[in-house]
């Protein structure tokens, strides 16, 4: 882990203002090329081990929503790509307990300190962390949505669950970078679609998407995007020959259970906390 002064990890006034007013801010070059490469290796290990678990574990539960395949293995939910009989992974949630390198990332001051700022507390715990995989030429897009409809039945304060996306590859319009509807978080939770699909309530109604307000957030590998849980966001498919992999971690104030595991994953606050946790992993 690259050492950094606490003041350097803090969001600046302009970054906080962007998050509050626009719904997101970007921190370029937060992770080094070496760190980002190590995380790419880690998520590929997760992908390989997840496919092995699905093949080997008879308790894995397979189901389909709107024709798309999902598999639950214990508390881990796996989504496959949308084309028929696809064996390509799309989303894995949560992933911190599948790979120590990803678990350690949650305590990184470059991520945790901005979350402390936005939530106004030093005491943090994990809400969830997922891996988004957009493989070249087949990675599907994500429809416009807010996070609140997914979480409102499991958390009593969905306005205060900030997300941080860690870009593991350069992301642009061609390979399906994150897209947002600027300032949409200021409207609160919005109605879902009414199209008769199984997941209609989880996708934001089209009438709230104005083309003039859509922003494609193009970033480099190792950049961070911090965004509000009520911000409408989505992405296009990956139409390129390049990977677009990302981790999205969501934090909550206090010491509370995580979304899927039901266990508390407290975020280390001090250097000695981090060093103690590293010794436990060794």
């Amino acid at each position: 882990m690259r050492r950094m002064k606490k003041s350097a990890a803090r969001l600046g006034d302009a970054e906080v203002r962007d998050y509050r007013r626009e719904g997101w801010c970007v921190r370029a070059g937060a992770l080094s090329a070496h760190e980002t490469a190590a995380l790419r290796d880690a998520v590929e290990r997760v992908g390989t081990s997840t496919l092995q678990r699905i093949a080997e574990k008879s308790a894995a539960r397979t189901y389909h929503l709107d024709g798309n395949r999902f598999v639950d293995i214990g508390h881990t939910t796996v989504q496959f790509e949308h084309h028929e009989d696809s064996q390509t992974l799309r989303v894995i949630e949560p992933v911190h307990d599948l790979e120590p390198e990803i678990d350690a990332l949650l305590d990184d001051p470059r991520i945790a300190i901005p979350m402390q700022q936005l939530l106004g507390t030093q005491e943090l715990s994990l809400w969830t962390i997922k891996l988004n995989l957009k493989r070249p030429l087949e990675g599907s897009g994500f429809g416009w949505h807010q996070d609140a409809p997914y979480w409102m039945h499991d958390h009593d304060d969905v306005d205060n669950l900030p997300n941080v996306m860690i870009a593991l590859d350069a992301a642009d319009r061609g390979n399906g970078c994150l897209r947002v509807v600027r300032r949409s978080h200021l409207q609160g939770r919005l109605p879902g679609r009414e199209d008769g699909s199984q997941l209609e309530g989880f996708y934001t109604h089209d009438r709230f998407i104005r083309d003039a307000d859509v922003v494609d957030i193009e970033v480099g590998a190792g950049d961070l995007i911090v965004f509000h849980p009520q911000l409408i966001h989505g992405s296009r498919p990956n139409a390129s020959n390049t990977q677009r992999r990302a981790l999205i971690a969501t934090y909550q104030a206090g010491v509370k259970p995580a979304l899927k595991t039901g266990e508390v994953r407290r975020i280390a606050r001090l250097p000695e906390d981090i060093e103690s946790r590293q010794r436990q992993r060794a």
Side-chain angles (χ1 to χ4, degrees), residues 146 148-149 152 158-159 185 187-191 230:
Q146 298 173 296
M152 64 182 184
V158 293
D159 283 333
H185 66 301
Q187 301 178 70
R189 185 164 58 88
L190 297 169
Q230 297 283 27

Side-chain angles (χ1 to χ4, degrees), residues 67-139:
N68 301 317
R69 182 160 66 111
F70 293 71
V71 178
D72 286 344
I73 320 168
H75 60 251
T76 305
T77 297
V78 180
Q79 299 180 36
F80 283 84
E81 279 300 344
H82 291 170
H83 49 278
E84 190 174 358
D85 299 323
S86 175
Q87 297 300 312
T88 302
L89 298 171
R90 182 175 187 251
V91 178
I92 306 171
E93 181 184 15
V95 291
H96 67 290
D97 55 347
L98 303 180
E99 175 58 49
E101 191 121 17
I102 297 174
D103 186 69
L105 182 68
L106 296 170
D107 297 313
D108 193 308
R110 292 165 292 184
I111 297 172
I113 287 175
M115 298 296 102
Q116 290 175 337
Q117 281 182 267
L118 295 177
L119 290 171
T121 179
Q122 289 195 345
E123 195 70 74
L124 298 178
S125 50
L126 175 70
W127 175 237
T128 189
I129 179 170
K130 62 185 175 183
L131 169 61
N132 284 357
L133 296 166
K134 279 199 181 187
R135 300 307 196 185
L137 301 176
E138 64 175 328

Side-chain angles (χ1 to χ4, degrees), residues 42-282:
V43 302
E44 293 300 337
R45 289 194 296 271
V46 168
T48 299
S49 65
T50 297
L51 289 173
Q52 290 173 344
R53 290 170 67 203
I54 291 173
E56 296 169 359
K57 188 162 184 177
S58 59
R61 183 173 74 93
T62 299
Y63 53 100
H64 291 77
L65 295 172
D66 293 326
N68 301 317
R69 182 160 66 111
F70 293 71
V71 178
D72 286 344
I73 320 168
H75 60 251
T76 305
T77 297
V78 180
Q79 299 180 36
F80 283 84
E81 279 300 344
H82 291 170
H83 49 278
E84 190 174 358
D85 299 323
S86 175
Q87 297 300 312
T88 302
L89 298 171
R90 182 175 187 251
V91 178
I92 306 171
E93 181 184 15
V95 291
H96 67 290
D97 55 347
L98 303 180
E99 175 58 49
E101 191 121 17
I102 297 174
D103 186 69
L105 182 68
L106 296 170
D107 297 313
D108 193 308
R110 292 165 292 184
I111 297 172
I113 287 175
M115 298 296 102
Q116 290 175 337
Q117 281 182 267
L118 295 177
L119 290 171
T121 179
Q122 289 195 345
E123 195 70 74
L124 298 178
S125 50
L126 175 70
W127 175 237
T128 189
I129 179 170
K130 62 185 175 183
L131 169 61
N132 284 357
L133 296 166
K134 279 199 181 187
R135 300 307 196 185
L137 301 176
E138 64 175 328
S140 54
F142 288 82
W144 291 117
H145 65 282
Q146 298 173 296
D147 291 327
Y150 293 86
W151 299 335
M152 64 182 184
H153 299 297
D154 299 295
H155 203 284
D156 58 5
D157 191 13
V158 293
D159 283 333
N160 287 302
L161 296 172
N163 301 293
V164 56
M165 173 181 275
I166 302 99
L168 304 181
D169 302 288
D172 56 26
R173 290 168 59 92
N175 67 1
C177 66
L178 182 70
R179 311 178 78 204
V180 302
V181 179
R182 63 190 298 265
R183 301 192 177 185
S184 55
H185 66 301
L186 300 176
Q187 301 178 70
R189 185 164 58 88
L190 297 169
R193 294 178 185 171
E194 298 172 351
D195 57 8
S197 64
Q198 290 175 283
L199 298 176
E200 63 178 3
F202 294 114
Y203 292 100
T204 306
H205 199 286
D206 292 343
R207 71 176 182 270
F208 296 102
I209 313 302
R210 295 179 63 250
D211 289 344
D213 294 328
V214 173
V215 179
D216 291 281
I217 306 179
E218 297 186 316
V219 294
D223 291 357
L224 305 180
I225 305 172
V226 179
F227 63 99
H228 195 281
Q230 297 283 27
L231 185 70
I232 301 173
H233 57 287
S235 63
R236 293 187 176 91
N238 186 349
S240 76
N241 291 309
T242 63
Q243 301 274 2
R244 203 235 72 176
R245 295 160 288 193
L247 291 161
I248 304 178
T250 308
Y251 289 75
Q252 59 185 334
V255 181
K256 301 175 183 177
L259 172 62
K260 287 182 172 289
T261 66
E263 298 175 354
V264 173
R265 170 50 170 95
R266 178 179 166 271
I267 304 303
R269 293 191 300 170
L270 303 169
E272 52 265 34
D273 293 336
I274 297 173
E275 291 171 5
S276 173
R277 194 159 284 168
Q278 288 172 337
R279 287 194 297 270
Q280 292 172 11
R281 295 190 189 102

